[in-house]
Amino acid sequence: DTGVSQNPRHKITKRGQNVTFRCDPISEHNRLYWYRQTLGQGPEFLTYFQNEAQLEKSRLLSDRFSAERPKGSFSTLEIQRTEQGDSAMYLCASSLGTSGGAQFFGPGTRLTVL
Amino acid sequence: GIQVEQSPPDLILQEGANSTLRCNFSDSVNNLQWFHQNPWGQLINLFYIPSGTKQNGRLSATTVATERYSLLYISSSQTTDSGVYFCAVERLGAQKLVFGQGTRLTINP
């Protein structure tokens, strides 16, 4: 069990640029989640996948954000035309089975938009 | 949506002391997890405890689902226990964790 991995761990970008993050879940886990955490706050849900299907998106996920999980394995989160307010820690989690299963988190990608 | 309240927001203790962190939630849940966030930001799973009591070394947790609260106990605190502790719940029928604001624990030597 190698755990959830995320890349890159840190990303510094200029306002207006596009960025893409990757998450590799625990191999047998069919559910994958993205959360965002800003300084001093708890993580907030962005979206989740069951296998390759994106089943729920938060209102926090504006039109500039898009997430994919093309083969039901790894996932990518892209932010287009970044804004300073996008600066945050982006966390990925995975779980096995149906609703209510324990979620396991990756180390996160810390995004700084200058 | 479901509300999750953690108390206290901050706790400062001397090494060796015991501590109790509380998590109240406003609706029925089918998942409750306690996490410790390390200085690099990673959420470390402590307990998956939608109901009942569990123990792991110096840590234990109890969730009373009917009364909608959970407690995390840390005994004989060590400086390495410092950090932010989060409670997160998944409401029945929902598919996401909702986090509390966290308790920042500082253990002084």
Side-chain angles (χ1 to χ4, degrees):
Chain A
D1 182 355
T2 57
V4 179
S5 61
Q6 292 186 245
N7 286 288
R9 297 290 306 277
H10 303 273
K11 179 70 177 179
I12 300 173
T13 191
K14 293 182 179 180
R15 189 175 51 189
Q17 298 295 304
N18 299 343
V19 294
T20 300
F21 310 141
R22 176 177 171 130
C23 171
D24 288 87
I26 294 171
S27 58
E28 66 270 24
H29 284 185
N30 58 333
R31 289 194 164 198
L32 186 148
Y33 309 79
W34 286 98
Y35 293 82
R36 181 171 70 184
Q37 186 178 22
T38 53
L39 200 61
Q41 304 295 315
E44 295 177 288
F45 170 80
L46 292 178
T47 188
Y48 95 97
F49 294 83
Q50 178 147 331
N51 301 312
E52 66 276 8
Q54 187 175 18
L55 297 184
E56 186 174 346
K57 293 194 289 186
S58 162
R59 284 175 294 178
L60 293 176
L61 215 64
S62 76
D63 291 345
R64 297 183 297 105
F65 288 70
S66 63
E68 294 183 342
R69 194 183 184 198
K71 297 183 179 179
S73 56
F74 73 91
S75 175
T76 57
L77 177 68
E78 180 183 17
I79 309 174
Q80 296 182 326
R81 305 181 303 282
T82 53
E83 302 173 355
Q84 288 186 324
D86 297 331
S87 295
M89 175 76 92
Y90 289 85
L91 295 161
C92 176
S94 68
S95 70
L96 180 64
T98 57
S99 177
Q103 295 186 25
F104 295 85
F105 282 77
T109 295
R110 189 174 297 279
L111 173 66
T112 302
V113 181
L114 302 176
Chain B
I2 192 168
Q3 304 299 311
V4 183
E5 294 182 358
Q6 291 187 242
S7 59
D10 293 279
L11 187 57
I12 301 174
L13 298 171
Q14 291 298 118
E15 199 167 24
N18 300 330
S19 56
T20 301
L21 283 59
R22 186 176 180 103
C23 173
N24 292 335
F25 46 96
S26 60
D27 205 344
S28 299
V29 300
N30 60 354
N31 179 2
L32 188 147
Q33 292 182 248
W34 282 98
F35 297 93
H36 178 206
Q37 190 160 42
N38 69 19
W40 298 272
Q42 181 155 12
L43 289 168
I44 308 299
N45 280 50
L46 298 178
F47 293 101
Y48 169 77
I49 187 165
S51 63
T53 297
K54 292 185 177 179
Q55 181 158 5
N56 184 3
R58 295 183 296 105
L59 274 61
S60 63
T62 295
T63 297
V64 183
T66 53
E67 298 187 21
R68 298 182 182 167
Y69 73 88
S70 183
L71 301 173
L72 176 68
Y73 304 97
I74 305 173
S75 64
S76 304
S77 299
Q78 301 175 357
T79 56
T80 52
D81 294 330
S82 295
V84 182
Y85 289 79
F86 285 104
C87 168
V89 304
E90 183 177 325
R91 184 177 54 84
L92 282 175
Q95 313 296 336
K96 60 193 175 190
L97 287 175
V98 176
F99 284 76
Q101 291 291 90
T103 291
R104 180 172 296 278
L105 178 64
T106 302
I107 305 297
N108 291 321

